[in-house]
């Protein structure tokens, strides 16, 4: 029997939590700084949702913030102010939002004079602030440069955390990578990890099918996630290479690389509890994928362009000796799905019992949204948890862990929440026309609980395929909206014990044929019978 959600359980073997050695070099485990801050078992347990994932539903409410200009990223400011920094792609601005005062009229930063915006995927793409922002305020941004589209990572120092405007002239360019041939696949996420290092994602250089052969090329930063230490400078570099980066000692490899084999990792994030990394990689033509790697574990090869999602994409560029890390979740372009927008793990307090520990991810076109949870057995529970506003480009969490999302052309900032759906009901329904005459009939409906738990409160819904209109009912409160009929218990008959039944009846009018309903739903669950 079917229900209104489609949960899945995926094996994590050979994926995010169990890793074999890579060819030539294995995933590096950062010994000193690769784990999240210590947390007691009681705290970790309380952060995990108690609600089954298939009963979770995401909600969204548009804030009163003025319309944003193609927003791309959200960053919570760690200074106790409650502010969010939001990037606007094409105009190159960083805006300030506070839930009490709305969107500030003047931007925090405007670098519109130095970004390339000729392609749809170009512009100001990502933003991050350091963990010690309150005492050492700086803003880090990723953008495509007006200088032939080079993907660029820059730092903008601030005089104080409350500085109203940052001069664009204060820019310190940290790292660039040539990206002149095509305008798409720029990546753009910037995040500080739990180890205090800065991570930055870059796409494979654009076009389609990795035509530039960057996905498996360790001599370029394209198609990778990099990890650098921005707390100091080393030699001619305005940053340092962490000694435990996985390719530091590999000849001809860029030492900044943390992971590779990615097509366009538009969004990644870190779980603030366990420090693990979630990476959503935009697919080519069939699959969108989500990858999950443990805290401090670098060196993973996600397989592009040999692999797209769980399948082989280009066999000629596969290496039989390579060890590819498979996604923990993927979905196809069936329907209107087109491009994954990676999210964050919910760790707030308001919905902790419903969604704690759940990674949220959506699709840019269809707005289908999924929840993904690691299980104690090393697998992953996955369920479709609803639909968000169209064209979500980024998620963010405020300082208390509550979630927001922005969407592209609509320019909205949305506060996200969660609700618990009723538990699934296992049932059968027997619908019988007891009598009919001319333009009227009576019918009895018998609902039987075939599950193991009592049903405490019920609403039965069905759709009449003809023009039937209910005029009277007994032993249930019945309403009709268009062709949809809803029948609700009267209190005294609200409980249906396992194996038990409840009967009610309706009287209705019709003209022409009187076909019976083909589907009945009890508390949202589809019944047999």
């Amino acid at each position: 029997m079917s229900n209104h959600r489609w949960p899945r359980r995926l094996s994590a073997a050979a994926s995010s939590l169990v890793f074999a050695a890579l060819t030539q070099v294995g995933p590096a485990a950062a010994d000193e700084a690769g784990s999240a801050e210590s947390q007691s078992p009681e705290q970790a347990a309380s952060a995990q949702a108690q609600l089954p994932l298939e009963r979770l539903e995401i909600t969204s409410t548009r804030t009163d913030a003025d319309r944003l200009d193609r927003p791309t990223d959200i960053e919570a400011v760690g200074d106790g102010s409650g502010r969010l920094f939001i990037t606007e792609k094409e105009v190159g601005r960083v805006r300030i939002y506070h839930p009490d005062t709305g969107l500030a009229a003047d931007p925090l930063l405007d670098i519109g004079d130095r970004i390339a915006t000729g392609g749809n995927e170009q512009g100001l793409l990502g933003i991050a602030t350091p963990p010690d922002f309150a005492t050492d305020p700086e803003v880090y941004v990723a953008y495509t440069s007006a200088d032939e589209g080079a993907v660029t990572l820059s730092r903008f120092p601030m005089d104080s955390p409350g500085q109203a405007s940052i001069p664009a002239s204060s820019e310190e360019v940290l790292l660039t990578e040539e990206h002149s041939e095509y305008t798409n696949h720029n990546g753009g996420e910037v995040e500080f990890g739990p180890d205090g290092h800065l991570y930055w994602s870059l796409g494979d250089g654009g076009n389609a099918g990795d035509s530039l052969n960057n996905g498996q090329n360790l001599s370029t930063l394209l198609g990778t996630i990099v990890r650098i230490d921005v707390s100091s400078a080393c030699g001619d570099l305005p940053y340092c290479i962490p000694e435990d980066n996985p390719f530091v000692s590999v000849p001809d490899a860029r030492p900044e690389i943390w992971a590779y084999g990615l097509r366009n990792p538009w969004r990644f994030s870190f779980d603030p509890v366990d420090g693990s990394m979630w990476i959503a990689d935009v697919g080519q033509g069939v699959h969108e994928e989500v990858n999950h790697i443990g805290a401090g574990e670098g060196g993973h090869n996600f397989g592009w362009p040999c692999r797209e999602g769980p399948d082989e994409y280009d066999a000629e560029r596969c290496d039989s000796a390579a060890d590819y890390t498979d996604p923990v979740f993927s979905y196809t372009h069936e329907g209107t799905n087109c491009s994954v927008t990676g999210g964050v793990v919910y760790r707030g307090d308001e919905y902790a019992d419903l969604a704690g520990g759940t990674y949220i991810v959506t699709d840019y076109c269809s707005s289908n949204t999924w929840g993904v949870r690691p299980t104690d057995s090393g697998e992953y529970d996955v369920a479709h948890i609803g639909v968000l506003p169209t064209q979500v480009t980024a998620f963010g969490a405020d300082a208390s862990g509550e979630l927001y999302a922005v969407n592209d052309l609509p320019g909205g900032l949305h506060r996200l929440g969660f609700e618990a759906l009723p538990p699934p009901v296992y049932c059968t329904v027997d619908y019988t026309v007891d009598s009919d005459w001319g333009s009227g009939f009576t019918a009895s409906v018998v609902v039987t609980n075939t599950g193991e738990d009592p049903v405490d409160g019920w609403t039965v819904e069905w759709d009449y395929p003809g023009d039937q209109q209910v005029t009277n009912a007994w032993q249930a409160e019945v309403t009709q909206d268009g062709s949809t009929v809803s029948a609700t218990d009267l209190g005294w008959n609200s409980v249906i014990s396992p194996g038990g039944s409840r009967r009610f009846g309706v009287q209705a009018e019709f003209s022409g044929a009187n076909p019976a309903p083909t589907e009945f739903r009890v508390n949202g669950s589809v019944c047999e019978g």
Side-chain angles (χ1 to χ4, degrees), residues 483-494:
S483 62
T484 302
V485 179
S486 298
T488 302
D489 68 81
L490 297 177
W492 60 267
N493 59 353
S494 63

Side-chain angles (χ1 to χ4, degrees), residues 421-432:
L421 294 169
V425 175
Y426 301 100
C427 49
T428 60
V429 171
D430 179 32
Y431 176 92
T432 304

Side-chain angles (χ1 to χ4, degrees), residues 206-500:
N207 198 20
D210 192 18
S211 61
L212 300 177
N213 290 310
N214 289 323
Q216 295 296 306
N217 182 4
L218 288 173
S219 67
T220 177
L221 298 182
L222 297 176
T224 76
I225 293 176
V226 305
R227 174 184 185 243
I228 58 176
D229 180 356
V230 295
S231 65
S232 58
C234 289
D236 295 332
L237 298 175
Y239 57 88
C240 293
I241 306 293
E243 294 181 356
D244 58 355
N245 270 12
F247 303 105
V248 167
S249 301
V250 175
D252 301 322
R254 291 291 299 268
E256 296 93 344
I257 295 174
W258 183 249
Y260 70 112
L262 294 160
R263 182 178 178 272
N264 191 28
W266 167 241
R267 289 290 168 251
F268 67 82
S269 63
F270 294 95
D271 183 341
V273 168
D274 65 18
S276 63
M277 188 179 197
W278 294 82
I279 307 163
D281 194 16
V282 178
Q284 177 65 50
V286 177
H287 296 284
E288 304 295 313
E289 70 178 66
V290 172
N291 301 285
H292 185 209
I293 62 177
E297 294 180 338
H300 290 279
N301 180 356
F302 296 105
W304 175 253
C306 165
R307 300 184 64 78
E308 179 196 19
D311 293 339
E312 190 173 87
Y313 175 78
D314 187 344
E316 293 184 358
R317 288 190 279 182
C318 292
D319 181 355
S320 60
D323 187 0
Y324 301 123
T325 298
D326 289 331
V328 301
F329 169 57
S330 66
Y331 64 92
T332 69
H333 289 181
E334 181 181 1
T336 58
N337 294 330
C338 75
S339 178
V340 66
T341 298
V344 297
V345 177
Y346 177 76
R347 293 296 184 185
D349 291 332
E350 187 172 352
Y351 306 102
D353 57 336
L354 304 181
T358 305
Y359 174 76
I360 309 301
V361 59
T362 193
D363 185 84
Y364 177 88
C365 294
S366 70
S367 305
N368 285 320
T369 304
W370 294 267
V372 185
R373 285 181 195 161
T375 69
D376 292 339
S377 63
E379 297 181 333
Y380 290 81
D381 285 337
V382 180
H384 185 272
I385 60 171
V387 175
L388 286 176
T390 188
Q391 297 182 351
V392 167
T393 51
F395 294 85
D398 65 17
S400 62
E402 303 305 328
L403 303 189
Y404 288 81
V406 287
N407 54 344
D408 189 6
L409 294 173
L413 174 65
H414 304 264
R415 173 73 184 267
L416 306 183
F418 299 94
E419 293 178 347
L421 294 169
V425 175
Y426 301 100
C427 49
T428 60
V429 171
D430 179 32
Y431 176 92
T432 304
V433 174
D434 299 316
S435 62
D436 62 71
W437 60 93
S439 60
F441 70 95
T442 62
S444 58
V445 182
V446 179
V447 182
T448 301
N449 178 4
T450 59
E452 298 179 354
D453 300 313
V455 176
D456 189 359
W458 50 266
T459 296
V460 183
E461 293 183 321
W462 68 88
D463 296 305
Y464 272 128
D467 64 352
Q468 300 98 321
Q469 291 291 319
V470 173
T471 59
N472 195 12
W474 46 95
Q475 296 187 345
E477 181 178 343
V478 177
T479 61
Q480 184 168 354
D481 183 7
S483 62
T484 302
V485 179
S486 298
T488 302
D489 68 81
L490 297 177
W492 60 267
N493 59 353
S494 63
V495 176
I496 311 177
S497 59

